[in-house]
């Protein structure tokens, strides 16, 4: 035997995963009750809503969150999203699996779904004209087809803002693609979308964590994935960074209030990722997965506790 | 031609002799101490002067041996420092970088361990230790697909393939990926290497998830045959009996736990629910109130007991 395998073996014995893991009473009961909740017949189990927040590139963390929820068999009955949360949520509601979503996310660049690129950004600043997000509809249609909300396997809603009135507009019917485009239509960068007699921009400025939209869809218990920006991290030095900073601050203020309306939270640590850092998407997705894996036990516990009256009704009827 | 061949043979002989000279291990005395589990003595022998006096090629090995000795001796802080220093001096040494990553992983510092395992794999993509470490981290971070791929690479090395704990962990991962048949095969492999209660419990959970209820109880029984006092196995059986509406048996299983620890919160929960479902609401309330009092030790069991107590409050006395 050569020296290297001896050392490798010694290292394995010294540092390998030798410790036996035991599962404690809390974890055992959590898994047991969560299993019982999942087995409740349709109509008895609480309607579970998944809310995906705004956050531009940070919102790609929702893909990681969806992956963990899918692996854990976590029930999701309705989905609501704003901005990037609407974009990811539309795919999830249409039945696109997390693996496919990761594949799609890996191809996203700065100009995916829009005519945004560095040259265009410069011309935008010089000519004082906004860019178009029309490509976003094409991306959605290419993957999902011309789906309407009522054709999606899971109920879905997304939120935009009418820039003329400041109203929050929750879309739950009609074609999916224009609604999602409007929801993710970053103000100050893209032209407002003219749709249904409204002039629409990104819903993140009025409904960053759209728990209310999920409740409108009938969600009784809501899990929210929040990809808030850490606006204390940056020191804006140009027009775009200043705009991003203002949107992030507004989002954070909204999020502080809206997150309280959710029953459980997953908060990926992606606060330092800027709106335009598409090169960090793989890292952002991992951030989503890590946060979801960490937050999943608490989410299961919360759902089990919420379901206790129904579990008891079921048990006492047997 | 003959002269040329003679010259070549001479050169080869000379090369072999040179290689023989290099093959003498300058760390042989310390390695002997490590092999005898004399970790403290091994670490003490590897003084800075001794390490500095080693031939250049052996210095990284010397630092790795020092760090491992400290680690094996239970001096984790010193081991961490030794690994860190060694990995700084020799950033491409697989043992030092991988060893540092494992120590950080064991300390729960996965954010720092992960890039080190990735560095190991950048140097040597098939390095088993690096693959295993990354697999463990990815599993804990919810990236099950990537974890599975890294486990599979790690398990191509005999040392890990024949490690029952790694096989059991791999089985659990496969079960989490809903690949129950493959998980069952992996846990059987683990059991063929070492028949431990942990592996039987894992096997039981996999059988349950495959909806083979009878086999799941049988596997738990085997875990308890090996270790009759194993709380986790009793607790798991009690919960399954409750889920299967085998209420008197669930209560009896809870009694086994309560005989040893009358305040055991989960056992109180099981007996409380079994009593409530059999109509003994007073008995149920007493058990659930006891379970609810364990907020500090078992916060979720306590919360669940409180929530159920609230429901029972409205039920008939």
């Amino acid at each position: 035997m050569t020296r290297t395998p001896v050392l490798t073996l010694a290292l394995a014995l010294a540092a390998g995963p030798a410790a036996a893991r035991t599962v404690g009473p809390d974890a055992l009961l959590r898994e047991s009750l969560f299993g019982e909740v999942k087995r409740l017949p349709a109509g008895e189990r609480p309607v579970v809503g998944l809310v995906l927040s705004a956050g531009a590139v940070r919102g790609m963390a929702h893909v990681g969150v969806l992956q963990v929820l899918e692996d854990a068999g976590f029930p999701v009955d309705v989905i609501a999203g704003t901005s990037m949360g609407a974009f990811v949520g539309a795919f999830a509601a249409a039945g696109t699996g997390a693996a496919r979503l990761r594949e799609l996310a890996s191809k996203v660049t700065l100009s995916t779904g829009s005519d945004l690129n560095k040259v265009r950004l410069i011309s935008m600043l010089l000519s004082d004209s906004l860019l178009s997000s029309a490509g976003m509809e094409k991306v959605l249609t290419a993957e999902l087809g011309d789906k309407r909300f009522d054709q999606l396997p899971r109920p879905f809603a997304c939120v935009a803002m009418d820039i003329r009135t400041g109203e929050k507009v929750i879309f739950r019917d009609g074609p999916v693609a224009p609604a999602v485009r409007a929801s993710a239509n970053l103000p100050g960068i893209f032209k407002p979308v003219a749709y249904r007699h409204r002039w629409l921009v990104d819903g993140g400025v009025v409904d960053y964590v759209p728990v209310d939209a999920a409740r409108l869809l009938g969600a009784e218990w809501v899990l929210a994935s929040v990809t808030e920006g850490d606006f204390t991290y940056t020191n804006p030095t140009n027009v775009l960074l200043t705009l991003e900073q203002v949107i992030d601050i507004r989002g954070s203020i909204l999020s502080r209030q809206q997150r309280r309306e959710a029953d459980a939270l997953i908060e990926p640590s992606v606060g330092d990722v800027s709106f335009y850092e598409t090169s960090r998407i793989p890292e952002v997705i991992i951030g989503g997965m890590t946060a979801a894996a960490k937050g999943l036990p608490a989410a299961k516990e919360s759902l089990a506790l919420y379901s206790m009256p129904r579990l008891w009704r079921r048990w006492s009827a047997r | 031609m003959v002269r040329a061949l003679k010259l070549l043979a001479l050169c080869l002989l000379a090369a072999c002799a040179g290689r023989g000279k290099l093959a003498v291990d300058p760390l042989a005395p310390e390695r002997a101490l490590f092999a005898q589990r004399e970790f403290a003595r091994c670490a003490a022998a590897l003084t800075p002067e001794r390490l500095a006096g080693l031939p250049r090629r052996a210095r990284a090995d010397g630092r790795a041996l020092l760090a491992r000795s400290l680690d094996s001796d239970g001096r984790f802080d010193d081991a961490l420092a030794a690994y860190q220093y060694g990995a700084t001096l020799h950033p491409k040494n697989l043992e030092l970088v991988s060893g540092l990553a494992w120590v950080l992983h064991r300390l729960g510092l996965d954010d720092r361990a992960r890039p080190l395992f990735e560095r190991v794999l950048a140097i040597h993509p098939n390095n088993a230790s690096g693959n295993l470490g990354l697999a463990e981290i990815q599993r804990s971070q919810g990236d099950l697909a990537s974890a599975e791929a890294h486990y599979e690479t790690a398990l191509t090395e005999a040392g890990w393939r024949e490690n029952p704990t790694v096989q059991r962990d791999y089985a659990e991962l496969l079960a989490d990926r809903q690949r129950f048949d493959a998980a069952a095969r992996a846990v059987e492999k683990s059991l063929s290497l070492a028949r431990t209660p942990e592996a039987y419990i894992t096997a039981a959970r996999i059988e349950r998830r495959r909806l083979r209820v009878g086999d799941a109880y049988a596997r738990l029984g085997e875990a308890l045959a090996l270790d009759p006092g194993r709380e986790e196995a009793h607790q798991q059986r009690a919960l399954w009996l409750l889920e299967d509406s085998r209420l008197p048996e669930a209560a009896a299983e809870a009694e086994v736990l309560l005989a040893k620890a009358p305040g055991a919160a989960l056992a109180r929960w099981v007996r409380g629910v079994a009593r409530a479902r059999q109509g003994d609401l007073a008995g149920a309330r007493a058990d659930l109130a006891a379970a609810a009092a364990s907020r500090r030790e078992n916060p979720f069991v306590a919360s669940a007991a409180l929530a159920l107590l609230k429901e029972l409050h409205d039920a008939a006395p």
Side-chain angles (χ1 to χ4, degrees):
Chain A
M1 196 182 247
T2 60
R3 215 169 50 190
T4 307
V6 172
L7 285 175
T8 307
L9 188 62
L11 187 68
L13 293 171
R21 282 187 290 267
T22 52
V23 183
D26 273 350
L28 284 171
L29 183 59
R30 176 203 310 137
E31 293 308 317
S32 172
L33 288 179
F34 179 67
E36 295 230 34
V37 171
K38 281 207 297 182
R39 286 192 293 275
L40 281 173
E44 281 187 39
R45 181 170 61 71
V47 176
V48 174
L50 175 65
V51 168
L52 306 177
S53 79
V57 166
R58 290 194 301 270
M60 281 292 178
H62 302 316
V63 173
V65 172
L66 283 162
Q67 174 78 70
V68 170
L69 295 180
E70 188 181 297
D71 286 338
F74 202 94
V76 174
D77 301 306
V78 304
I79 300 175
T82 297
S83 192
M84 186 60 88
F87 198 70
V88 174
F91 284 106
T96 307
R100 174 70 183 144
L101 267 172
R102 284 179 77 177
E103 202 181 312
L104 290 171
S106 69
K107 293 175 191 157
V108 169
T109 62
L110 191 63
S111 54
T112 301
S114 70
D115 58 358
L116 178 65
N117 58 45
K118 282 175 187 166
V119 177
R120 285 280 191 164
L121 273 176
I122 294 165
S123 76
M124 179 187 88
L125 295 173
L126 292 174
S127 64
D128 191 25
S129 64
L130 293 170
L131 306 181
S132 166
S133 60
M136 208 176 294
E137 284 188 51
K138 284 183 196 152
V139 172
L140 277 161
T141 309
E143 187 69 17
L144 308 182
D146 284 323
K147 285 241 166 42
R148 299 171 58 83
F149 279 83
D150 57 5
Q151 291 173 319
L152 296 173
R154 272 192 281 213
F156 171 65
C158 63
V159 186
M161 185 185 85
D162 187 332
I163 202 164
R164 282 182 180 149
T165 63
E167 278 176 279
K168 168 168 64 185
V169 183
I170 299 178
F171 289 103
R172 291 185 284 162
D173 55 17
V176 173
V180 170
R181 177 191 164 193
S183 180
N185 196 44
L186 210 56
I189 304 288
F190 299 122
K191 288 175 209 153
V193 176
Y195 183 59
R196 290 189 182 174
H197 310 291
R198 289 185 180 273
W199 201 232
L200 299 164
V201 294
D202 195 308
V205 285
V206 279
D207 205 358
Y208 199 84
V209 189
V211 178
D212 52 349
R215 303 268 185 217
L216 269 181
L217 294 173
E220 295 169 281
W221 182 92
V222 169
L223 171 64
S225 172
V226 182
T227 53
E228 218 175 279
D230 180 0
F231 57 82
T232 60
Y233 185 81
T234 47
N235 190 17
T237 48
N238 61 38
V239 176
L240 288 177
L241 287 178
T242 308
L243 178 66
E244 180 182 340
Q245 182 83 340
V246 170
I247 293 172
D248 271 345
I249 290 172
R250 171 76 182 146
S252 290
I253 291 167
L254 281 171
S255 169
R256 271 176 226 164
Q257 177 60 38
Q258 292 176 328
R259 60 176 52 224
R260 289 189 207 141
E261 293 157 20
D263 297 280
L265 287 174
I266 291 172
E267 297 177 86
S269 301
V270 291
D272 66 321
V273 179
S274 127
F275 279 11
Y276 317 102
E277 283 185 287
T278 48
S279 61
R280 293 181 69 185
I281 286 176
E283 175 198 334
V284 166
I285 293 175
I286 288 172
M289 283 195 283
T290 307
K294 199 174 154 195
L296 195 60
K300 286 179 175 178
E301 289 178 3
S302 168
L303 179 59
L305 292 177
Y306 182 88
S307 307
M308 195 60 78
R310 297 161 201 235
L311 286 173
W312 171 240
R313 273 204 295 280
R314 185 89 190 147
W315 292 338
S316 51
R318 275 185 202 167
Chain B
M1 180 69 178
V2 175
R3 276 186 66 188
L5 281 173
K6 278 181 183 171
L7 195 64
L8 182 65
L10 210 62
C11 288
L12 282 171
L13 275 173
C16 289
R19 192 170 168 76
K21 195 177 168 189
L22 280 177
V24 173
D25 182 4
L27 285 163
E30 288 85 359
R31 282 189 211 285
L33 286 172
F34 190 90
Q36 292 159 23
R37 305 184 66 79
E38 296 280 355
F39 304 124
R41 285 180 59 202
C42 180
L46 288 163
T47 59
E49 295 75 25
R50 166 82 174 121
L51 288 167
L54 285 170
R56 231 176 124 191
R57 275 198 216 167
R59 280 180 209 157
D61 286 347
R63 294 203 177 277
L65 186 59
L66 169 64
R68 265 186 295 115
S69 303
L70 292 165
D71 194 16
S72 304
D73 197 36
R75 292 159 63 187
F76 302 122
D77 287 349
D78 293 338
L80 179 60
Y83 272 125
Q84 274 173 328
Y85 187 52
T88 309
L89 290 178
H90 309 280
K92 288 186 178 170
N93 183 282
L94 292 180
E95 287 167 43
L96 282 165
V97 179
S98 173
L100 175 59
W102 276 109
V103 172
L104 291 168
H105 173 50
R106 281 204 325 248
L107 292 171
L109 301 169
D110 283 348
D111 287 347
R112 288 177 60 196
R114 187 180 176 125
L116 291 167
F117 281 127
E118 284 168 346
R119 195 202 299 174
V120 169
L121 296 185
I123 299 168
H124 190 318
N126 291 326
N127 180 278
S129 178
N131 274 290
L132 185 66
L134 206 50
E136 285 201 2
I137 291 176
Q138 286 169 332
R139 184 184 167 202
S140 70
Q141 294 183 340
D143 190 357
L144 303 185
S146 305
E148 185 184 344
H150 285 297
Y151 264 119
E152 278 169 3
T153 311
L155 286 168
T156 56
E157 186 172 280
W160 292 123
R161 196 167 54 244
E162 302 304 319
N163 182 318
T165 309
V166 174
Q167 287 287 358
R168 199 192 70 221
D169 287 349
Y170 179 53
E172 287 175 357
L173 172 94
L174 290 170
D176 289 343
R177 297 267 291 147
Q178 324 280 332
R179 295 181 51 200
F180 301 122
D181 290 344
R185 281 196 297 277
V187 80
E188 285 310 317
K189 170 77 181 172
S190 172
L191 281 165
S192 75
L193 296 166
R195 308 187 85 75
T196 62
E198 292 86 7
Y200 276 118
I201 292 171
T202 299
R205 290 192 177 124
I206 291 168
E207 294 302 326
R208 178 99 181 165
R209 293 179 74 179
R210 291 167 99 190
L211 304 178
R212 296 185 181 186
V213 175
D215 291 340
Y217 282 116
R219 288 304 206 184
L220 267 191
E222 285 172 282
L224 285 166
L226 279 179
D227 182 1
R230 187 139 197 125
E231 267 184 24
E232 186 185 348
H234 283 293
Q235 290 165 340
Q236 186 65 84
R237 187 151 72 184
L239 284 167
W240 284 351
L241 289 166
L242 202 58
E243 286 173 30
D244 296 339
S245 295
R246 292 164 62 178
L247 304 176
E249 290 167 87
E253 192 70 41
E255 300 281 1
V256 173
L257 288 161
L258 291 169
K260 280 207 297 186
L266 187 61
R268 288 285 199 149
W269 160 270
V270 170
R271 195 172 67 179
V273 175
R275 281 175 166 172
R277 290 175 64 180
Q278 292 177 103
D280 175 10
L281 294 187
R285 284 191 187 109
D287 274 333
L288 292 172
S294 72
R295 182 156 285 280
R296 186 170 295 175
E297 304 81 26
N298 305 112
F300 180 60
V301 177
S303 302
L306 262 180
L308 189 53
L309 268 174
K310 221 180 252 179
E311 297 306 310
L312 295 188
H313 184 73
D314 300 330

